[in-house]
Structure formats: C-alpha cells, structure tokens
Amino acid sequence: MGKDSSDLFGALFDAPPLARPPLVSVVSVLVPLPVPEAYSYAVPDGMAVMPGSVVQVPLGPRQVIGVVWDGEPDPRLDPKKLRPITQVFDCPPLTDEMRSFIDWVAGYTLSPPGLVARMAVRAPAALEPEPMVEALRYRGGEPERMTPARARVMDLVRDEVPFTRSGLSHAAGVSISVIDGLVKQGLFETVFLPPPPVVARPDPDYTAPRIEGPQKQAASEIVEAMQGGGFSASLIDGVTGSGKTEVYFEAIAQALRQGRQVLILLPEIALTASFLERFQDRFGAKPAEWHSDLAPRMREKVWRGVVTGEVRVVAGARSALFLPFEELGLIIVDEEHDSAYKQEDRVFYNARDMAVVRARIGQFPVVLVSATPSVESQVNGQSGRYHLVHLPTRFGEAAMPDLHLIDMRRHPPERGGFLSPVMLRAVKKTIEKGQQALLFLNRRGYAPLTLCRVCGHRFQCPQCSSWLVEHRFKGQIQCHQCGYAEKTPEACPECGTFDHLVACGPGVERIAEEVEKHFPEARTIVMSSDLLGGVKRMRLELEAIAKGEADIVIGTQLVAKGHNFPLMTLVGIIDADLGLANGDPRAAERTFQLLSQVTGRAGRTGLKSHGLLQTYQPQHPVMQAIVSGDASAFYEREIGEREKALLPPFGRLASIIVSADTRLDAETHARALRAAAPKVSGITVLGPAEAPLALVRGRHRFRLLVHGRRNSDMQGYLRSMLANGPKVRGTVHVQLDVDPQSFL
DNA sequence: AGCACGCCGACT
DNA sequence: GTCGGCGTGCTC
C-alpha cells in the first residue's frame, strides 16, 4: 500500500466501472482532538495542499486549525460526504522533520497526534503573514511655508528613504500634525514596507568569548564536534559559577555561523532579564522570548519569525520545543534537571528528553546543561550516550564557598528555637563584617502544623486533609495543597479553649522571629512566595538585597535561583534533612539539587564565603556529597537505588507502570488494580511524564499506560485486563517490549 | 479538547 | 414549574 491516497480510491471505486470517479481529492488532517488518528477532508478545487500545510477545517459546529498529514483516509468514509477544507494559511508548511517529530512524540507519550500537532501551531493569528506597514516617501516639491519644524523633516526625507508616520515624527522631533500637514500638501507618496523584525539578528562575533582554561577547552570540544554536522548529545556538568553559560554560548555562536537557528530551553523561572542581557552582551542582540505569559501580539510575531527563519535564536520555556523552526541547528537545555521541563497535562512529556529526540531527528547537536544533572542524564553520560563535559571549578574570581555540616545532635538549638548556636555565631560574625547572611528554609508560613494543647485537635484542611499552615503575617491558616485559607481562629474549634493553640515546627516566619530576637539591630527580610505586594514588590526586594540593604535574608526556594547577591557570604540551611523522607523516589536527588543551588548563592564575587547545613543525618549521602563537593559517589548510589525501586520483582512480567492524566488518577487506578488482583505485587505508580523515564535502562518487558479520565471505565479496563490478559479495548494502551531510548 | 444533550436535585 | 449540576457521546 502506497502513501498516495489514490490507492484507497482504487480500492473503493475499482469494482464496477461506473462512470468516472468524481474528481475530488481527499487528505488526512490532524485536528486538535484526543482521537488516535487524523480525520479526512475534501480539498476544494483550486486549493493546493501538501503534508505539513496548516489549514482551517470545519469540525462539528466550529472551525479549527489543523495540519495536513500523510496517511490514508479511512476507507469506510464516503469521500463524497467529506467536508471541505475551509482555507490554507499563508505560511510555510511544517517540515518533514517537524512532522516526524510530532509523530514520534505522540507515539512515545501515547498522546493523540492531533494534540501534539496543536502545540506547534498554537499562535492562531500568526498563521497569516503580518501586514505590510504604511510608510511615507518624499516625492519632490517644497512645503508651501517653511517653518523650523518642517525644515527638520525635509532634511531627513530628501534622500527618499521611506519613514513611517510615527517614525518620521520621532526622528525629526516634531509632532505628528507637522507630518500630516506636509502629507496634505502632497509632498509624500504612500509606500508599503515589510514589517520590522521582532528582534535584531544576533552576531556570533559581536564580542570575543570571555572564557579561559577548562572553559575554553570545553567550548572548543563542543564546537569541534559540531563541525562535522549531524546529531550529538552533550551534557555540560559544572558547578554554579563554572562558566557553563559562556561555554554553551560558543556552541550557539558556531550554530549561528553555520547559518542555523538556535533554541535555548530554560525553566520558566530562569527566563529573566539578566539572562537576556547576558546573551545580548555576547551577541549584540536579545534572543526572542517564548513563554506562557507572552503578550498575544508578541507571540504571533515570534511564531511567524521562527517559521520564516527571520528569528535566529529563541530562549523559551518547554513549550518552545514545539515551535516549527525553519532550520533549527542546535538546542540547549539549561538546568536540564529542573522538573519544570515536565508537562503533566494533555500531552505528557519531558521537554529535556524530547529535545534530544528532536535533535536526533533533525540531525543536529543538543547540549544539556546543569550543575546537578538528573540521574537519568548522568546514566546516559556514563554509558556514553551523551558526551560528558565536566567543569569542576569556578570561573574567574569566584571561589567555592567553604561548606560544613552542623550535627544537630551535638549542637542543638536552645529550647523553643531552631537555630544551632554554631549557626548563630556564624551569622553574627558575617553581619559584623558588613556582609549578608541567607538563612534558607523551604517552608512558607509560621509553622507547618498547629494543634490545641488542651484537646490535641490538629488543624486540617476540610478539602484535602493535609495540615493547615499558620501564616502569622497574614493572620491566616492556609492549605498549601489546595489553597484553602481561613482566618486564624482564636479558640480551638474542637474544645473551645482560648489561647491554647501551639505551633509545631518552623516556617520562615518563625525563623524570622527567632532571628529578630538574637539580632534586633539587623535588617531582616523574609522572602517567600506569599510576600505581600506580588511580583513587583518581590523584584524591588531582591534588588534591595543585592544593593546591600539587608543584613539577614530568610527565604524559601524562591531565593535559590537566578539572583546574584554580591555581599552574600554566608548561606545557612536550616533543615537540610527536610524533603529527604517524603516518600518520593526522587527525594534524595531533589534535595541534593536544591541544596547545591542554594549553597551556590554564596561566594560568587571573590569574598571568602561559607555554607552551613543543619542536619540530624550528617552521614547521609546527600550531606556528604554537598560538603565534599564530589557528587560521584552520590550519583552511583542513586542510580542503584532508582533501579531497585523501579524494577520490582514481578515474575514473568517485569513490572506494570500505571500512569494516568494526573498522579492522583494514577494512584486511583493502581488501587483498583491492587484490589482486583491482590496477589500482584510490583505495580509502580508514576506521573505521566515520568513513566517513560522509568524505563531508563530498557529492561522492562512490558508496560501498561492507562490514559483516560473516566475513573469507572478505568477500573473496568484494569479488571478486564487482569482477567483476560493484555487484550483490552478502549483507551488503555499496551505496548510490549518497548525500549524508550531506542532512538539513540 | 469543546460542546450538546439528557437526566435528577433545590430553588428564583 | 425551571436552573444547573456532571455523566456521556460526538466531532472527518
């Protein structure tokens, strides 16, 4: 069977040679629906489409955007009754490369291809070319009465270079009405100019690379590898401040010299003005941005620039991976370990992994970058799948902070407090020198749990049963799970006793209270996401801290990323063990990554700096990895643990992985599965984006991914699967012997 | 994904 | 008597 749709019609119309088959051509179109296949549409006379064409088609009562795909229309459909394509958008069709990528992602993530395709054509109004802009060109003659303002305009326009109305008024420093006056006198003709580019073109040789030693070596290794062309995957693994960005900037320069487009993926939070400025300093222009809260107008312009090839570099969040670049030649995935690369709704994917796939399909390099690589990437680095580039030292004047553990069993805090005397002494010394201390605790609010001393009542969320967290600044108790909040009650709702509520454990607000008690003179700031005043206030506070307008900063995760604080020479981790025992198989990895990031905030400007970690488990591999500065033993152990966790003994079936729209659904399905088959052990429940990764070493012989939202259906499917073996109808997909990394 | 239809509980 | 909750079905 060929791919040409004429085969199908051969089959349909061959038998009785009626009159002539009607001259109607039919194509497959991926529509934005969760259905497994493309739909078929008629192509009206005179309309030209090809695979990849972006079209508008009728779907039920509405019009939707679709993409012409290859593949044969369903033979059961009557071609005469097919609805026609409404219009073809005037934009370049998706490339073969892009279509292969979409098909691959849909297959791998078990997602409907139409929903994957939709991610590539999500800027609806951008599908038509941008209108030309009106401009004025001098056509000769003189103004009736010359005035100083008119003279300034005339000086500019005499060489007949066209200006837009507002451009001319700006350039001449006159008001619009002066221009209009001259237009009325017939001095100008209207011409149309192509719209201005969204961003200027970056120049690979705008400035010389500012790197030396190991960084230069690493950069030339990568650039050399790029010379030959073709696919390669590299992992740059370097401590905070080791010049990773400078190294991958050289890879970008090389791709630009080769005339290719570049995509830089960043976790949403890292897409900051400071990153864009750094890029501009090196390349003379900013990259185009792509993220969820880009203004619609800008989104269209960038999309358009990307397909036409006018935009050369995009810095974007995970969704940028699905932009239909004209000639993409390099992808950088910065902070590759960051969980923000996972999308866990609609189409479930990890942009980091899909970036590798896109590069493989397009035959160009991909560079993953992290100070604390994910365990998966570490495995791929060790096995040789990824080319490892290790940057062990800091770059320039920055020195690594001196890191120590505080064994809390030997140096306990005073009664009612949470800060060890060792920590307090270090803070004191730091602020005496006029430097800054950061106390990190990844817990918002005053206390994670509140209870009544009289009856033992614990404040629990009425909606989701997690503890309610007291926020003293706001006078509220809040649920950090679902957002439920109420005013902090004065009396116990259970026994009615007043003033007997007791806070258990620390949050940042409570640490602030303790700090103020010990250092009443110090300027103390609490930084957490519930800072009153929103993003604007937050930015101001961060700037103030950078300028040295605070002595002690107490913060949650929020302070871990991005910002540079030149005077920050002490980082104190208040509860380094927090997060190690939450049942997540990635708990240790996450803790290691977070703590590395936070301690990396110190010492980036040449001042001698320190990091102190309060812990009850000084022997824990995470603590050892952090203070020794050598993570290799930690990674070895993690890889082993991960394999044990993900490969439970399961008889002939290696394991069943249950994954659904949400982790919660997956848990529900797993419960149903366990109830239906009490003897089955070894059911692994993962979030959808994680399920394929679980097969990191490809040893599973069987996997089951459950997709669907109807819980009752799911339970039925699961039961019937157990009763009848893996022959299940409906929305349950079963794949046998899949090696998820077979693309490499 | 949207959106229509249809069936049961609590209200202007 | 209706308004509206969500469970179900359909889209070439």
Side-chain angles (χ1 to χ4, degrees):
Chain A
M1 287 238 255
K3 286 191 166 186
D4 191 330
S5 58
S6 59
D7 281 353
L8 169 75
F9 293 105
L12 277 172
F13 293 106
D14 261 359
L18 297 169
R20 216 157 245 247
L23 203 77
V24 54
S25 98
V26 175
V27 288
S28 293
V29 176
L30 286 185
V31 288
L33 292 184
V35 291
E37 277 159 6
Y39 278 1
S40 304
Y41 285 88
V43 183
D45 270 355
M47 180 186 278
V49 294
M50 58 186 280
S53 295
V54 185
V55 294
Q56 186 182 37
V57 291
L59 185 68
R62 65 214 159 103
Q63 294 283 324
V64 296
I65 295 170
V67 185
V68 177
W69 224 240
D70 36 31
E72 288 155 34
D74 188 334
R76 286 165 303 183
L77 294 170
D78 179 352
K80 282 171 291 189
K81 288 188 185 155
L82 293 178
R83 302 175 73 181
I85 293 176
T86 312
Q87 64 160 323
V88 188
F89 289 106
D90 185 8
C91 71
L94 301 192
T95 56
D96 291 355
E97 187 185 308
M98 193 62 199
R99 284 187 297 118
S100 307
F101 178 56
I102 289 169
D103 279 334
W104 200 96
V105 171
Y108 181 63
T109 61
L110 302 179
S111 312
L115 296 188
V116 180
R118 191 178 64 157
M119 300 196 292
V121 290
R122 238 194 206 157
L127 294 166
E128 294 292 1
E130 280 202 71
M132 303 282 264
V133 295
E134 256 179 61
L136 301 171
R137 187 165 61 195
Y138 179 55
R139 55 142 61 120
E142 290 297 317
E144 284 162 12
R145 259 184 311 109
M146 190 59 90
T147 65
R150 288 179 173 183
R152 283 206 298 279
V153 174
M154 295 311 290
D155 281 348
L156 284 167
V157 300
R158 276 193 214 282
D159 51 6
E160 294 182 12
V161 175
F163 279 86
T164 60
R165 230 163 115 253
S166 63
L168 187 53
S169 90
H170 258 100
V174 302
S175 78
I176 288 276
S177 59
V178 176
I179 311 288
D180 286 345
L182 294 171
V183 171
K184 224 182 259 170
Q185 294 177 27
L187 293 171
F188 295 99
E189 59 186 345
T190 302
V191 292
F192 288 92
L193 298 178
V198 213
V199 281
R201 268 180 116 81
D203 172 5
D205 302 307
Y206 180 75
T207 49
R210 270 156 292 180
I211 48 175
E212 58 196 33
Q215 283 74 27
K216 196 164 185 174
Q217 176 64 33
S220 50
E221 255 178 62
I222 293 176
V223 169
E224 219 166 279
M226 290 172 69
Q227 227 105 46
F231 169 76
S232 67
S234 310
L235 173 63
I236 304 180
D237 152 24
V239 295
T240 319
S242 63
K244 297 186 292 289
T245 313
E246 285 72 13
V247 171
Y248 75 66
F249 275 1
E250 292 324 296
I252 293 172
Q254 179 66 10
L256 291 176
R257 284 187 204 107
Q258 292 171 341
R260 308 289 295 269
Q261 289 170 292
V262 175
L263 169 63
I264 308 166
L265 289 179
L266 297 160
E268 192 110 18
I269 190 126
L271 260 167
T272 56
S274 72
F275 176 84
L276 302 174
E277 277 158 23
R278 245 168 120 183
F279 185 94
Q280 184 170 26
D281 287 347
R282 171 66 182 82
F283 295 103
K286 283 185 179 151
E289 287 176 66
W290 187 267
H291 48 83
S292 58
D293 46 37
L294 205 59
R297 195 76 196 89
M298 196 57 175
R299 175 173 292 266
E300 291 159 16
K301 282 185 181 174
V302 173
W303 192 91
R304 191 83 203 165
V306 165
V307 266
T308 58
E310 179 191 293
V311 166
R312 304 314 292 173
V313 181
V314 174
R318 60 169 187 250
S319 60
L321 182 62
F322 289 90
L323 285 169
F325 287 88
E326 189 207 14
E327 43 180 357
L328 187 58
L330 174 68
I331 304 179
I332 308 287
V333 186
D334 203 351
E335 309 286 349
E336 66 83 26
H337 63 277
D338 200 298
S339 58
Y341 284 121
K342 285 183 196 165
Q343 175 153 82
E344 303 212 8
D345 62 300
R346 297 183 177 96
V347 177
F348 314 111
Y349 66 93
N350 186 321
R352 177 241 290 151
D353 296 345
M354 297 306 106
V356 176
V357 173
R358 187 158 185 188
R360 173 73 185 191
I361 290 172
Q363 286 299 299
F364 57 78
V366 57
V367 180
L368 311 185
V369 185
S370 177
T372 51
S374 62
V375 170
E376 302 91 275
S377 294
Q378 198 73 33
V379 167
N380 285 325
Q382 285 176 9
S383 71
R385 256 179 189 149
Y386 297 165
H387 170 64
L388 269 177
V389 181
H390 189 55
L391 299 172
T393 54
R394 281 198 164 179
F395 172 64
E397 57 180 3
M400 289 303 281
D402 211 1
L403 299 176
H404 293 282
L405 300 175
I406 301 174
D407 184 343
M408 295 301 277
R409 297 164 306 183
R410 288 174 50 207
H411 307 284
E414 62 183 57
R415 216 180 130 71
F418 300 93
L419 298 169
S420 161
V422 181
M423 184 74 84
L424 290 167
R425 272 201 301 278
V427 172
K428 183 160 183 277
K429 267 174 79 178
T430 304
I431 61 175
E432 276 171 2
K433 280 189 282 186
Q435 296 169 357
Q436 289 173 318
L438 168 67
L439 294 178
F440 173 82
L441 174 64
N442 203 13
R443 218 178 231 156
R444 292 156 51 209
Y446 185 83
L449 168 69
T450 306
L451 51 81
C452 171
R453 220 176 327 186
V454 175
C455 70
H457 171 78
R458 299 171 164 211
F459 285 83
Q460 207 171 21
C461 176
Q463 296 173 28
C464 64
S465 80
S466 62
W467 301 137
L468 290 171
V469 179
E470 183 182 355
H471 285 243
R472 260 191 208 182
F473 294 174
K474 283 188 182 159
Q476 281 184 336
I477 44 175
Q478 297 179 4
C479 172
H480 286 178
Q481 217 59 44
C482 67
Y484 171 89
E486 63 179 88
K487 206 174 147 285
T488 309
E490 286 165 21
C492 172
E494 191 79 19
C495 65
T497 319
F498 279 84
D499 290 334
H500 274 73
L501 300 179
V502 52
C504 298
V508 277
E509 292 180 5
R510 195 168 191 182
I511 297 302
E513 194 179 85
E514 187 174 349
V515 164
E516 273 154 24
K517 196 181 90 194
H518 287 279
F519 308 103
E521 308 292 304
R523 295 163 301 172
T524 303
I525 289 188
V526 177
M527 292 296 296
S528 82
S529 58
D530 37 25
L531 183 76
L532 298 162
V535 184
K536 231 171 78 193
R537 165 95 186 275
M538 188 91 70
R539 209 163 286 149
L540 287 175
E541 296 281 13
L542 288 168
E543 269 168 40
I545 296 167
K547 275 190 259 164
E549 291 168 17
D551 303 307
I552 303 171
V553 180
I554 298 148
T556 60
Q557 235 181 105
L558 198 109
V559 291
K561 296 190 190 193
H563 260 82
N564 254 347
F565 306 115
L567 289 170
M568 192 76 77
T569 59
L570 174 70
V571 170
I573 312 283
I574 292 167
D575 186 356
D577 308 331
L578 179 69
L580 278 178
N582 63 4
D584 182 339
R586 283 184 172 79
E589 179 186 353
R590 291 240 172 84
T591 304
F592 170 70
Q593 286 160 346
L594 183 61
L595 296 186
S596 300
Q597 233 167 27
V598 180
T599 53
R601 292 293 99 205
R604 298 196 65 179
T605 45
L607 294 170
K608 182 78 205 121
S609 64
H610 304 269
L612 290 173
L613 293 83
Q614 295 191 170
T615 175
Y616 287 90
Q617 308 169 59
Q619 296 311 314
H620 195 286
V622 168
M623 304 308 149
Q624 291 299 316
I626 296 272
V627 288
S628 70
D630 175 14
S632 54
F634 169 71
Y635 277 111
E636 271 320 303
R637 189 170 169 282
E638 265 314 286
I639 292 168
E641 293 292 310
R642 191 70 60 81
E643 287 189 319
K644 265 190 271 170
L646 294 175
L647 296 171
F650 201 61
R652 289 195 304 121
L653 295 180
S655 74
I656 293 180
I657 295 168
V658 182
S659 159
D661 287 12
T662 65
R663 182 180 282 276
L664 206 71
D665 285 353
E667 299 282 0
T668 313
H669 302 330
R671 231 177 293 133
L673 194 55
R674 289 191 186 106
K679 282 190 214 144
V680 175
S681 63
I683 297 166
T684 306
V685 180
L686 290 171
E690 291 159 333
L693 295 181
L695 312 176
V696 78
R697 289 214 165 160
R699 283 208 234 131
H700 291 241
R701 290 182 45 229
F702 177 91
R703 74 167 165 163
L704 164 75
L705 278 116
V706 184
H707 263 255
R709 60 202 158 122
R710 273 160 205 145
N711 205 18
S712 50
D713 291 356
M714 282 309 117
Q715 301 193 6
Y717 289 137
L718 291 168
R719 283 207 184 81
S720 99
M721 185 208 71
L722 285 164
N724 310 318
K727 272 182 270 170
V728 187
R729 291 175 303 119
T731 50
V732 177
H733 302 261
V734 177
Q735 293 198 340
L736 289 163
D737 292 315
V738 175
D739 175 3
Q741 303 251 329
S742 52
F743 58 90
L744 281 177

